[in-house]
Amino acid sequence: MKSPRTARPAPRNALYAQSGGVTAVINATAAGVIEACRRHQSRIANLYAGRDGIVGALTEDLIDTGRESAATIRALMHTPSGAFGSARYKLKDLERDLPKYQRLIDVFRAHDIGYFFYNGGNDSMDTALKLSQLGERTGYPVACIGIPKTVDNDLPVTDCCPGFGSVAKYVAVSTLEASLDVASMARTSTRVFILEVMGRHAGWIAAAGGLAARRAGDPPHLILFPEIAFDRERFLARVKEAVERRGFCVVVASEGTRDADGKFLSDMGTRDAFGHVQLGGVAATLARMVKEAHGYKYHWALADYLQRAARHVASKVDVEQAHAVGRAAVELALAGRNAVMPVIRRKSSKPYRWDVTSVAIEAVANKEKMVPRHYITADGFGITAAARRYLEPLIRGEAYPPYRDGIPDYATLRAARVRRRLKTEFKV
Amino acid sequence: MKSPRTARPAPRNALYAQSGGVTAVINATAAGVIEACRRHQSRIANLYAGRDGIVGALTEDLIDTGRESAATIRALMHTPSGAFGSARYKLKDLERDLPKYQRLIDVFRAHDIGYFFYNGGNDSMDTALKLSQLGERTGYPVACIGIPKTVDNDLPVTDCCPGFGSVAKYVAVSTLEASLDVASMARTSTRVFILEVMGRHAGWIAAAGGLAARRAGDPPHLILFPEIAFDRERFLARVKEAVERRGFCVVVASEGTRDADGKFLSDMGTRDAFGHVQLGGVAATLARMVKEAHGYKYHWALADYLQRAARHVASKVDVEQAHAVGRAAVELALAGRNAVMPVIRRKSSKPYRWDVTSVAIEAVANKEKMVPRHYITADGFGITAAARRYLEPLIRGEAYPPYRDGIPDYATLRAARVRRRLKTEFKV
């Protein structure tokens, strides 16, 4: 009689790649993937990581995660940004970019990659989906599992996206602290403070600024969402009202703030690899507007990468969810699933309870989840109680990194390279 | 025989005022002053605080700190910004602003203020000095004690200024985190990242960015100090070199970066109450320069108030020193000293040991301490080992605030008003 053990297929290798803008907790997802793979070495022999994400996969520049100690992998839990390197490198549809997809399959075949874990946002889910389709079509079996990651929180189905909770906490804490600063100086100095935050199309990050307020009237006094058409006169009137009533005005503005015609308030004039316009300068534009109309002294801040890299003030819930989706991705792969993505499911808001389930990638690829209208107050400048119920649990808990000599002791990988097997080169 | 007790003078009242730009730890100094006064109620009957600093003193808008609970005062230890309100309101020399100084003496007399604690930077020390001189001249005895506070770290004599260690830690941590972000994306995205930091004339805050590097070659690759004349060609050559050698370039730039003619790289075009030019836009200017010369994709951040209000990542050493100088100020006053300021004295760097001593205000008023040349590397773009030895101890230790619902639980004062005694009004 055959034992169930021998009936098992021979172990294959797996590839993990980080994609798109990095976050404070994407490495916690990497830790989840790596630790889960290590627990299943009879099924997954080696886990490789693409150096600089999909670019490493294309160029056959793979990192052997097996060369990293268990302690280093644990340290990824508290290390921000993409430890293996990420990429803004979008693969277009199968017809137009077939040679690239084919190249990926070639690299997979050369390294016996049976499982591909792609950790990114909407665009990356699309790539994972296409790769799984091409795998089926060309007879090379590879389980493509998407893993959600985006500070923008704009993936559908999942209750939230790992990476968002920490940037939300950063923005809420920073808004609170800057507001206290302005409040204490307003009598003789700055009257209006504007914090520009990320969130190209969806206003989730801007909404998080609203969590700085505990009571009605607390700052921020105005939030500008990409979902709400910007109206100069209404904005200026509300700034004036806040200054006259409270002595100062704090504004949290999404970089994607735009007018009724969809025109962005400001625009750096450059485009990234995905063809998205690279935004910036909304705060400066608003500040000039306020100065011209009312003459108030202003200050503004542009947190830029600081907000999404701020592991030092990460949300504990976010870290835990990031790790959980990494672990779940491996479990889905080992359960024989393909073209799926683990998602966070909220079971209750008070007390906050969640688990991880999964969804077909098709349901999330290239789709964006905006802030729903009922999360935004009727006047368009604040968040509702429903939004607070949704957002608050996501920034709960602190998960401080260890410090050495006054700065966080973030992990550094050996990042040992896997020996190349292909003779052909690929130019990115 | 008379007991020594009865020989003591009748208790008088004291006034505490916060001045200039606030910090993450100025309230820890307030806590030090208040707690020390409470321990000496036989000598100091009531401690008042000026609402919005010296403006409250001028308008007789005083807060009775005695109405705050011990728990609230303790909570000031972890609360950023000026809890009593601060002011950018400079008193000029005695001849030109005599009515204002006279008004202060009138308010002091009306409330039997025998001790004045003025918590600020160079300008405020000048005010405290003049007030003590006028007090002597007009026969109204008041002990004027300056208490150092400035994120700029530019006061002489004292080893460092409370407020600086925390902004230094914020800048070091943020530089480290943003650098990891850029490093992980540089292959296909941002190559150059610029963080603009405060420090109008002295480059101490910019220098702190250098603490993000643990090893040679680590980011930041370039630091721009106000003390070093900016040279466009040398800067651009070094950016190119870093990108070609390391794949990316991180720059920490002081808002006061200026060329050999003393011209600031950028200028918001407005002036504050002290007549200082309000700067901003250095990072944007540098980024445009890099883009034009090399075509690199860039990002930049302007932390603005976020950096000086960031109590969530304060330096424990800074919090302790801020509290200590507050306590010491009261002890100096009770020891009969006048026109003095407590200063931090470094006894050893490794291990770091310090105590509090004092200096005549005259030695610090209106003087600025720049970053010495030997703290800056020969090429003008980095910090030396000597600078590290000086800076590192100042960012040591974490002193997290308590959190509630995901955000810090900062103190709110009752801020009860002291009954007015003067019939005359003062218009600010």
Side-chain angles (χ1 to χ4, degrees), chain B residues 345-354 393:
Chain B
R345 179 171 58 174
R346 182 180 300 222
K347 298 166 86 176
S348 146
S349 284
K350 282 192 177 187
Y352 182 53
R353 290 188 300 116
W354 57 277

Side-chain angles (χ1 to χ4, degrees), chain B residues 21-41:
Chain B
V22 293
T23 79
V25 302
I26 184 173
N27 289 330
T29 298
V33 171
I34 296 167
E35 289 172 353
C37 286
R38 288 184 179 188
R39 275 195 301 276
H40 294 282
Q41 288 186 322

Side-chain angles (χ1 to χ4, degrees), chain A residues 33-247:
Chain A
V33 170
I34 297 167
E35 289 172 352
C37 285
R38 289 184 178 188
R39 275 196 301 276
H40 294 282
Q41 288 185 323
S42 63
R43 307 278 308 279
I44 298 174
N46 298 295
L47 172 65
Y48 303 142
R51 192 186 309 272
D52 302 318
I54 200 78
V55 169
L58 286 163
T59 57
E60 208 194 346
D61 189 354
L62 308 179
I63 292 166
D64 186 356
T65 71
R67 302 284 296 279
E68 310 294 341
S69 71
T72 299
I73 299 309
R74 224 9 20 201
L76 288 180
M77 288 293 287
H78 64 249
T79 301
S81 93
F84 299 97
S86 185
R88 288 205 182 277
Y89 190 85
K90 183 175 167 65
L91 275 76
K92 303 194 187 78
D93 52 59
L94 272 174
E95 286 61 44
R96 282 175 65 186
D97 264 346
L98 190 60
K100 287 179 188 165
Y101 287 101
Q102 195 56 64
R103 167 73 182 182
L104 287 173
I105 297 289
D106 290 347
V107 172
F108 286 6
R109 196 186 306 267
H111 292 276
D112 192 28
I113 303 297
Y115 312 96
F116 176 53
F117 302 108
Y118 204 26
N119 198 179
N122 329 62
D123 292 319
S124 313
M125 294 308 124
D126 181 64
T127 301
L129 177 63
K130 297 212 167 83
L131 211 46
S132 86
Q133 291 165 348
L134 185 67
E136 272 176 38
R137 202 196 292 175
T138 59
Y140 182 82
V142 58
C144 295
I145 313 291
I147 315 179
K149 169 248 55 166
T150 169
V151 293
D152 292 333
N153 201 40
D154 59 356
L155 285 174
V157 188
T158 188
D159 182 63
C160 61
C161 301
F164 170 67
S166 294
V167 77
K169 190 180 184 91
Y170 174 94
V171 168
V173 171
S174 297
T175 300
L176 172 61
E177 291 178 334
S179 295
L180 288 172
D181 188 308
V182 179
S184 67
M185 304 289 300
R187 177 111 184 238
T188 55
S189 185
T190 299
R191 295 280 191 167
V192 177
F193 177 77
I194 302 162
L195 173 61
E196 176 174 339
V197 301
M198 287 179 161
R200 190 177 272 125
H201 297 124
W204 293 107
I205 299 177
L211 296 177
R214 293 203 194 268
R215 284 167 298 262
D218 278 358
H221 306 99
L222 298 171
I223 300 174
L224 303 181
F225 304 87
E227 288 88 350
I228 302 290
F230 178 77
D231 178 326
R232 188 175 179 280
E233 298 315 314
R234 285 189 62 236
F235 167 72
L236 288 171
R238 289 294 298 271
V239 168
K240 190 156 186 264
E241 187 193 316
V243 170
E244 287 177 356
R245 212 165 138 197
R246 315 271 176 198

Side-chain angles (χ1 to χ4, degrees), chain B residues 104-389:
Chain B
L104 286 174
I105 296 289
D106 290 347
V107 172
F108 286 6
R109 196 187 305 266
H111 293 275
D112 192 27
I113 303 296
Y115 312 96
F116 176 52
F117 302 108
Y118 204 26
N119 196 179
N122 329 62
D123 292 320
S124 312
M125 294 308 125
D126 181 64
T127 301
L129 178 62
K130 297 212 167 82
L131 211 46
S132 86
Q133 291 166 347
L134 185 68
E136 271 175 37
R137 202 196 290 174
T138 59
Y140 181 81
V142 57
C144 294
I145 313 291
I147 315 178
K149 170 247 53 165
T150 170
V151 293
D152 292 333
N153 201 40
D154 60 354
L155 285 174
V157 188
T158 187
D159 182 63
C160 61
C161 301
F164 171 67
S166 293
V167 76
K169 189 180 185 92
Y170 174 94
V171 168
V173 171
S174 297
T175 300
L176 171 61
E177 292 178 333
S179 296
L180 288 172
D181 189 308
V182 179
S184 67
M185 304 289 300
R187 179 111 183 238
T188 55
S189 185
T190 299
R191 295 280 192 168
V192 178
F193 176 78
I194 303 162
L195 173 61
E196 176 175 338
V197 301
M198 287 179 161
R200 190 178 272 122
H201 297 124
W204 293 107
I205 298 176
L211 297 177
R214 293 204 193 266
R215 282 166 300 261
D218 278 358
H221 306 99
L222 298 171
I223 300 174
L224 303 181
F225 303 89
E227 288 89 350
I228 303 290
F230 177 77
D231 178 326
R232 188 176 179 279
E233 297 315 314
R234 287 189 61 235
F235 167 72
L236 287 171
R238 288 294 297 272
V239 168
K240 190 157 186 262
E241 188 193 317
V243 170
E244 286 175 358
R245 216 168 136 195
R246 315 270 175 198
F248 66 105
C249 181
V250 172
V251 181
V252 177
S254 160
E255 62 175 339
T257 304
R258 64 196 88 170
D259 66 16
D261 301 327
K263 203 178 150 257
F264 289 109
L265 240 67
S266 193
D267 186 330
M268 272 193 189
T270 55
R271 283 170 189 274
D272 71 10
F274 296 131
H276 303 141
V277 174
Q278 191 181 6
L279 301 177
V282 169
T285 303
L286 292 168
R288 275 192 300 269
M289 217 179 263
V290 167
K291 180 80 182 173
E292 276 168 27
H294 304 313
Y296 298 138
K297 186 178 166 184
Y298 62 82
H299 262 250
W300 54 270
L302 177 67
D304 197 68
Y305 289 163
L306 270 49
Q307 69 199 285
R308 75 180 193 195
R311 182 60 185 81
H312 74 272
V313 66
S315 151
K316 186 161 183 273
V317 161
D318 192 30
V319 174
E320 288 167 355
Q321 291 182 338
H323 189 258
V325 293
R327 211 171 44 215
V330 175
E331 284 156 13
L332 286 167
L334 292 180
R337 306 288 298 276
N338 196 352
V340 293
M341 180 184 92
V343 293
I344 312 286
R345 179 171 58 174
R346 182 180 300 222
K347 298 166 86 176
S348 146
S349 284
K350 282 192 177 187
Y352 182 53
R353 290 188 300 116
W354 57 277
D355 65 5
V356 177
T357 171
S358 70
V359 65
I361 285 184
E362 210 145 15
V364 293
N366 290 320
K367 296 193 177 87
E368 284 179 324
K369 182 176 70 179
M370 302 300 162
V371 177
R373 190 61 186 82
H374 74 282
Y375 276 13
I376 302 174
T377 50
D379 66 4
F381 289 122
I383 58 168
T384 60
R388 294 188 75 90
R389 261 196 308 280

